[in-house]
Amino acid sequence: MTAELVRGQNHTLPQTRLEIRVSASSPVVAGATLGDENGVVRGAEWIAHPGSPQLPGLEVSQQAAADHRLAVDLEALPETVHRVTVLLALPVGVGGPTRFGTAAAPFVAVTGLDGTEIATFTLTGLDAESAVSALELYRRQGAWKVRAVGQGYAAGLAGMLADQGLAAAAELAASIQEAVARSLARSVAPPPRAPEGDRVRHASGAPDPGPAPAALPQSPAATPVQPAADPGPTPATAPGGPIDYAHPRRRHPAPPPPTPPPPTAPPAQPGQAAQPVAGDATGWSMDERLYNQIWGMFEDLARAAAAYRSAVDFAESRMDQELDRSLSDPRNRIGGAGDRAREEARAKRDELTARAREVLDRDLAQLAAEAAVVEPALPAAYAGWDNPVWHAHRVPMELPMALRLGDLHLPERTGLRIPLLVRLPLERGIWVDSGRTASEAAALTGSDRLRRLAVETAVLHAARLLAVYPPGEFSVHVIDPAGSAAGPLAPLVDAGVLAGPPAAGPPGVASVLAHLTRRVDLVQMAVRAGAADSLPPDLDTGEQLLVVNDFPHGFDDRAVTQLRYLADEGPAVGVHLLMVADREDASAYGPVLDPLWRSLLRITPVADNHLADPWVGHAWTYEPPATPPGSRVLEQVLAAVTAARRAAGR
C-alpha cells in the first residue's frame, strides 16, 4: 500500500534498490546529495547532478526534464553515507518558470524496480522558491527510511547547497546550471505532453496546467508536515492570486461525467479569487459528490494543520541548533555576542513561525469559504439540525450513502467544522460514552447531566436514521432497564416510531435481546444456505437499531453475551447497536467486555478530543449534534416519519 506523505512524515523502506520518480509541469533539474551522520555534505564529490550524474549507488538524469527517474542502491552507498537528499531546481536562462509558485506542484514517488509505489509526496506550498529539498532517504538504527521534506529556497540552488554545508556552493550551482543549459541546447524539443488522467496536481498560486499526482486523510479525520534549511514554509498562493480548491484526493473518473454534471464555479475576474462550489468533487450523484467533497475538506484541513505544526517544530529545533552552535564557544556565552546570538536565533524562529501561520491562515480561509458554500447545500442525511433542509424534509425512497454523526475541528480554528460522516448501512455499532472524560466540557458538567445529554445524543442519532431510511425499512428498539431515560426518550415514544415500548427490567431486556438474536441467527442461516426466501413470514427483514441505555444495569451474564453477539454479528445482517454507557459502571466484568468496547465507535455527549488520526497524528475534537434552542425540528421530523409510514401502509 502506497504511503502518501506530508511534510515531515516518514516511512520505512521495505527494500534498498529503488527508483525515485519526479513529475513536474515544466523542466526541472533533479539531483541528490550524500550526507554523513550529521547530514553534512563533505564536498562536491558527494553530489550527483547533470554535470556528474553517477556516484556509487546513485544515478541521476543528465539534463533538465519534466519527468525524471533517479536510481538508488542503498546497499552500494559508502559506509559513511547516512542520508541521501533529493534536490529539485528550476533551470536558469531557458525561458521557463523562475519560481515554483507559478507552476503546478511537483510530485515525487519512491518506487521499487517494478514500478510499485512505496511512498509519494506532492510538494505543495511553494511560492518564491526556485530550488527545493524534496525528500531524503536516511539510515536510522540500521534501517533506511524516507522522509518528506519540501523545504524551499528563494536563494535557489546555491542557497540550498550552502545550507547543506558545502563551502563552494555558488560556484557548483553555477556549473550545474551551465551543464543544464548545454544539455538543453543540444536537445530536441519534446512533443506536447498528454494529460495523465489518473492524477490531479494541486496548483500553487496558478491555475493547474494539467492533471497531477495525489498526496494526502483527512478522515477521520485530518485533518495530518519539516526539516532543515533556509526559510520555512511559504505561502501556497501569492497574495491576490487565484485559489485552487482541487486537492490531490479528488480524482477524476475515467467514465463520462454523471448526469446532471457537477456544478462549476463562475469564472474568476482578473485579480479575484475563484469561488468555491458545493459538489466540487467526483461522483455519480450530488450526494456522492458532496460526500467526497467533505472528506476532501477533512484531508485538506489535516494537511494544513500538520504542515503548520511541523513548521513550528522545525523553527524551534532550528533555533536550538543555532544557539548550540553560537554558544559552543565559551567566549560567546556571556556578554554582547551571546545576547546577539540569542536574539538573532529567536528572531529567525519568530519569522519562520509567522510565515507558517500566514500560510495556515490562508488555507483555513479557503476551507472556511468552501464550508460556507457546502453546508447549506447538504441533504438531510449530511446536514446539521439547524439546517433549513429539515423544515421541508420528506422521508426518502432510497437510502443515502452516509449519515452525519456530528462535527470535527482542530484547535487551530475551532470555528471551522467538518461534518463527521459514516457510510450507510452502519458497519459497526456506536457507543455514546456517558462517563466523565478528561475534556474540559465534561469536567464542567455534572454526572447526571452527562447521562441525560448522552441519551439525548442517542435519540438524535436514532431520529436521523429513521428520517433518512425509506418508510418501514428501519425499526428502533429501546432497552431502558430502570426507566431513567423516560424524559429524553419522550420524542420517540410520543411520535410512535419505536417498534415497541422501551423495555424495562430484566424480563424486558431478555425479551428484546432474544428477539434480535433470533433474527440474526435466522438471517445468517438463510444467507449461508442461499435461501433468503425461506425466512419466516413474521420476520422483519428491515434494518434494526437497538438503543441500550444505562448498560450493564438489568443485564445478567446471558444478556451480556447476547449483546456482545449482536455487536459482533449484527451489522452484517442489518442489526445495529447504539449503546449509552459509562465504562466504569461495567468495570466488574474486567477484560471480558474489552472486545465489545473496541468494536463500537465511541462518541461523547459533549465536546471531546478523543478521535485520533493516525495518518498525521492529530487529535480531532468531536462535537455532538444538537438541535437549536427552542426548536421543534426533532418533533417535526419524527411526525414526518410517522406520516410517511402511514402513507406507505407500514
Side-chain angles (χ1 to χ4, degrees), residues 298-342:
F298 171 85
E299 293 172 353
D300 286 347
L301 179 55
R303 275 196 297 270
Y308 170 71
R309 295 178 187 181
S310 173
V312 172
D313 291 342
F314 169 63
E316 293 286 349
S317 174
R318 178 169 179 162
M319 180 187 71
D320 293 340
Q321 293 175 7
E322 291 180 352
L323 288 175
D324 289 342
R325 285 197 298 266
S326 300
L327 302 179
S328 59
D329 186 347
R331 293 172 296 179
N332 293 336
R333 294 177 185 172
I334 58 175
D339 293 340
R340 284 193 301 273
R342 294 184 185 92

Coordinates of all heavy atoms in Angstrom, one line a residue, residues 298-342:
F298 N -11.8 17.5 4.9 CA -11.2 16.9 6.1 C -9.7 16.7 5.8 O -8.9 17.1 6.7 CB -11.9 15.6 6.4 CG -11.2 14.8 7.5 CD1 -11.5 15.1 8.8 CD2 -10.3 13.8 7.2 CE1 -10.9 14.3 9.8 CE2 -9.7 13.1 8.1 CZ -10.0 13.3 9.5
E299 N -9.4 16.1 4.7 CA -8.0 15.9 4.4 C -7.2 17.2 4.2 O -6.0 17.3 4.7 CB -7.9 15.0 3.2 CG -8.4 13.6 3.4 CD -8.5 12.8 2.1 OE1 -8.3 13.4 1.0 OE2 -8.8 11.6 2.2
D300 N -7.8 18.2 3.6 CA -7.1 19.4 3.4 C -6.8 20.1 4.7 O -5.7 20.7 5.0 CB -8.0 20.4 2.5 CG -7.9 20.0 1.1 OD1 -7.1 19.1 0.7 OD2 -8.8 20.5 0.3
L301 N -7.8 20.1 5.7 CA -7.6 20.7 7.0 C -6.5 19.9 7.7 O -5.7 20.5 8.4 CB -8.9 20.7 7.8 CG -8.8 21.2 9.2 CD1 -8.3 22.6 9.2 CD2 -10.2 21.2 9.8
A302 N -6.5 18.6 7.6 CA -5.5 17.8 8.3 C -4.1 18.1 7.8 O -3.1 18.3 8.5 CB -5.8 16.3 8.1
R303 N -4.0 18.2 6.5 CA -2.7 18.6 5.9 C -2.2 20.0 6.3 O -1.0 20.2 6.6 CB -2.7 18.5 4.3 CG -2.5 17.1 3.8 CD -2.2 17.2 2.3 NE -3.4 17.8 1.6 CZ -4.4 17.1 1.1 NH1 -4.4 15.8 1.2 NH2 -5.4 17.6 0.4
A304 N -3.1 20.9 6.2 CA -2.7 22.3 6.6 C -2.3 22.4 8.0 O -1.3 23.1 8.3 CB -3.9 23.3 6.3
A305 N -3.0 21.8 8.9 CA -2.6 21.8 10.4 C -1.3 21.1 10.6 O -0.5 21.5 11.4 CB -3.7 21.3 11.2
A306 N -1.1 20.0 9.9 CA 0.1 19.2 10.1 C 1.3 20.0 9.6 O 2.4 20.0 10.2 CB 0.0 17.9 9.3
A307 N 1.1 20.7 8.4 CA 2.2 21.5 7.9 C 2.6 22.6 8.8 O 3.8 22.9 9.1 CB 1.9 22.0 6.5
Y308 N 1.6 23.2 9.4 CA 1.9 24.4 10.3 C 2.6 23.9 11.6 O 3.6 24.4 12.0 CB 0.6 25.0 10.7 CG 0.7 26.0 11.8 CD1 1.3 27.2 11.7 CD2 0.2 25.7 13.1 CE1 1.5 28.1 12.7 CE2 0.3 26.6 14.1 CZ 1.0 27.8 13.9 OH 1.1 28.7 15.0
R309 N 2.1 22.8 12.2 CA 2.7 22.3 13.4 C 4.1 21.8 13.1 O 5.0 22.0 14.0 CB 1.9 21.1 14.0 CG 0.5 21.5 14.4 CD -0.3 20.4 14.9 NE -1.7 20.7 15.2 CZ -2.6 19.9 15.7 NH1 -2.3 18.6 15.9 NH2 -3.9 20.3 15.9
S310 N 4.3 21.2 12.0 CA 5.7 20.8 11.7 C 6.6 22.0 11.5 O 7.8 21.9 11.9 CB 5.6 19.9 10.4 OG 6.9 19.6 10.0
A311 N 6.1 23.0 10.8 CA 6.9 24.2 10.6 C 7.3 24.9 11.9 O 8.4 25.3 12.1 CB 6.2 25.2 9.7
V312 N 6.4 24.9 12.8 CA 6.7 25.5 14.2 C 7.7 24.6 14.9 O 8.7 25.1 15.5 CB 5.4 25.6 15.0 CG1 5.7 26.0 16.4 CG2 4.4 26.6 14.4
D313 N 7.6 23.3 14.8 CA 8.6 22.4 15.4 C 9.9 22.6 14.8 O 11.0 22.6 15.5 CB 8.1 21.0 15.3 CG 6.9 20.6 16.2 OD1 6.6 21.4 17.1 OD2 6.2 19.6 15.9
F314 N 9.9 22.7 13.5 CA 11.2 22.9 12.8 C 11.8 24.3 13.2 O 13.1 24.3 13.4 CB 11.0 22.9 11.3 CG 12.2 23.4 10.5 CD1 13.3 22.7 10.5 CD2 12.1 24.5 9.7 CE1 14.4 23.1 9.8 CE2 13.2 25.0 9.0 CZ 14.3 24.3 9.0
A315 N 11.0 25.3 13.3 CA 11.6 26.6 13.7 C 12.2 26.5 15.1 O 13.3 27.1 15.4 CB 10.5 27.7 13.7
E316 N 11.5 25.8 16.1 CA 12.0 25.7 17.4 C 13.3 24.8 17.4 O 14.3 25.2 18.0 CB 11.0 25.0 18.3 CG 9.8 25.8 18.6 CD 10.0 26.9 19.6 OE1 11.1 26.9 20.2 OE2 9.1 27.8 19.7
S317 N 13.3 23.8 16.6 CA 14.5 22.9 16.5 C 15.7 23.7 15.9 O 16.8 23.6 16.4 CB 14.2 21.7 15.7 OG 15.4 20.9 15.4
R318 N 15.4 24.5 14.9 CA 16.5 25.3 14.2 C 17.0 26.3 15.2 O 18.3 26.5 15.2 CB 15.9 25.9 13.0 CG 17.0 26.8 12.3 CD 16.5 27.2 10.9 NE 17.5 28.1 10.3 CZ 17.5 28.3 9.0 NH1 16.7 27.7 8.2 NH2 18.4 29.1 8.4
M319 N 16.2 26.9 16.0 CA 16.6 27.9 16.9 C 17.6 27.3 17.9 O 18.6 27.8 18.3 CB 15.5 28.6 17.7 CG 15.9 29.6 18.7 SD 14.5 30.2 19.7 CE 14.1 28.8 20.7
D320 N 17.2 26.1 18.4 CA 18.0 25.4 19.4 C 19.4 25.0 18.8 O 20.4 25.2 19.4 CB 17.3 24.1 19.9 CG 16.1 24.4 20.7 OD1 16.0 25.5 21.2 OD2 15.2 23.5 20.8
Q321 N 19.4 24.6 17.5 CA 20.7 24.2 16.9 C 21.5 25.5 16.7 O 22.7 25.4 16.9 CB 20.4 23.6 15.5 CG 19.7 22.2 15.6 CD 19.3 21.7 14.2 OE1 19.7 22.3 13.2 NE2 18.6 20.6 14.2
E322 N 20.9 26.6 16.3 CA 21.7 27.8 16.1 C 22.3 28.3 17.4 O 23.4 28.8 17.5 CB 20.9 28.9 15.5 CG 20.5 28.6 14.0 CD 19.7 29.7 13.4 OE1 19.2 30.6 14.1 OE2 19.5 29.6 12.1
L323 N 21.5 28.2 18.5 CA 22.0 28.6 19.8 C 23.1 27.7 20.3 O 24.1 28.2 20.8 CB 20.9 28.6 20.8 CG 19.8 29.7 20.7 CD1 18.7 29.5 21.7 CD2 20.5 31.0 20.9
D324 N 23.0 26.4 20.0 CA 24.1 25.5 20.4 C 25.4 25.8 19.6 O 26.4 25.8 20.2 CB 23.6 24.0 20.1 CG 22.6 23.5 21.0 OD1 22.4 24.2 22.1 OD2 21.9 22.5 20.7
R325 N 25.2 26.1 18.3 CA 26.4 26.4 17.5 C 27.1 27.7 18.0 O 28.3 27.8 18.1 CB 26.1 26.5 16.1 CG 25.9 25.1 15.4 CD 26.0 25.3 13.9 NE 24.9 26.1 13.4 CZ 23.7 25.7 12.9 NH1 23.5 24.4 13.0 NH2 22.9 26.6 12.5
S326 N 26.2 28.7 18.2 CA 26.7 30.0 18.6 C 27.4 30.0 20.0 O 28.4 30.7 20.2 CB 25.6 31.1 18.6 OG 25.1 31.1 17.3
L327 N 26.8 29.2 20.9 CA 27.2 29.3 22.3 C 28.2 28.1 22.6 O 28.5 28.0 23.8 CB 26.0 29.3 23.2 CG 25.0 30.4 23.0 CD1 23.9 30.2 24.0 CD2 25.7 31.8 23.2
S328 N 28.6 27.3 21.6 CA 29.5 26.3 21.9 C 30.9 26.8 22.3 O 31.7 26.2 23.0 CB 29.6 25.3 20.7 OG 30.1 26.1 19.5
D329 N 31.2 28.0 21.8 CA 32.4 28.7 22.2 C 32.2 29.4 23.5 O 31.4 30.3 23.6 CB 32.8 29.7 21.1 CG 34.2 30.3 21.3 OD1 34.7 30.2 22.5 OD2 34.7 31.0 20.4
P330 N 33.0 29.0 24.5 CA 32.7 29.6 25.9 C 32.8 31.2 25.8 O 32.2 31.8 26.7 CB 33.8 29.0 26.7 CG 34.2 27.7 26.0 CD 34.0 28.0 24.6
R331 N 33.6 31.7 24.9 CA 33.8 33.2 24.8 C 32.5 33.9 24.4 O 32.3 35.1 24.7 CB 34.9 33.5 23.8 CG 36.3 33.1 24.3 CD 37.3 33.3 23.2 NE 37.0 32.4 22.0 CZ 37.7 32.4 20.9 NH1 38.8 33.2 20.8 NH2 37.3 31.6 19.9
N332 N 31.5 33.1 23.8 CA 30.3 33.8 23.4 C 29.1 33.6 24.4 O 28.0 34.0 24.1 CB 29.8 33.2 22.0 CG 30.8 33.6 20.9 OD1 31.5 34.6 21.0 ND2 30.8 32.7 19.9
R333 N 29.4 32.9 25.5 CA 28.3 32.6 26.4 C 27.9 33.8 27.3 O 26.8 33.8 27.9 CB 28.7 31.4 27.3 CG 28.8 30.1 26.5 CD 29.3 29.0 27.3 NE 29.5 27.8 26.5 CZ 30.1 26.6 27.0 NH1 30.4 26.6 28.3 NH2 30.3 25.6 26.2
I334 N 28.8 34.7 27.4 CA 28.5 35.9 28.2 C 28.8 37.1 27.3 O 29.5 37.0 26.3 CB 29.3 35.9 29.5 CG1 30.8 35.9 29.2 CG2 28.9 34.8 30.4 CD1 31.7 36.0 30.4
G335 N 28.2 38.2 27.7 CA 28.5 39.4 27.0 C 27.6 39.7 25.8 O 26.6 38.9 25.6
G336 N 27.9 40.7 25.0 CA 27.1 41.1 23.9 C 27.0 40.0 22.8 O 25.9 39.9 22.2
A337 N 28.0 39.3 22.5 CA 28.0 38.3 21.5 C 26.9 37.2 21.8 O 26.2 36.8 20.9 CB 29.3 37.6 21.3
G338 N 26.9 36.7 23.0 CA 25.9 35.7 23.3 C 24.5 36.3 23.3 O 23.6 35.6 22.8
D339 N 24.3 37.5 23.7 CA 22.9 38.1 23.7 C 22.5 38.3 22.2 O 21.3 38.0 21.9 CB 22.9 39.4 24.4 CG 23.1 39.3 25.9 OD1 22.9 38.2 26.4 OD2 23.5 40.3 26.5
R340 N 23.4 38.7 21.4 CA 23.1 38.9 20.0 C 22.7 37.6 19.3 O 21.8 37.5 18.5 CB 24.2 39.6 19.2 CG 24.3 41.1 19.5 CD 25.3 41.7 18.5 NE 26.6 41.1 18.5 CZ 27.6 41.5 19.3 NH1 27.3 42.5 20.2 NH2 28.7 41.0 19.3
A341 N 23.4 36.5 19.6 CA 23.2 35.2 19.1 C 21.8 34.8 19.5 O 21.0 34.2 18.7 CB 24.2 34.2 19.5
R342 N 21.4 35.0 20.7 CA 20.1 34.5 21.2 C 19.0 35.3 20.5 O 18.0 34.8 20.1 CB 20.0 34.7 22.7 CG 20.9 33.8 23.5 CD 20.7 34.0 25.0 NE 21.6 33.2 25.8 CZ 22.8 33.6 26.2 NH1 23.1 34.9 26.0 NH2 23.6 32.9 26.9

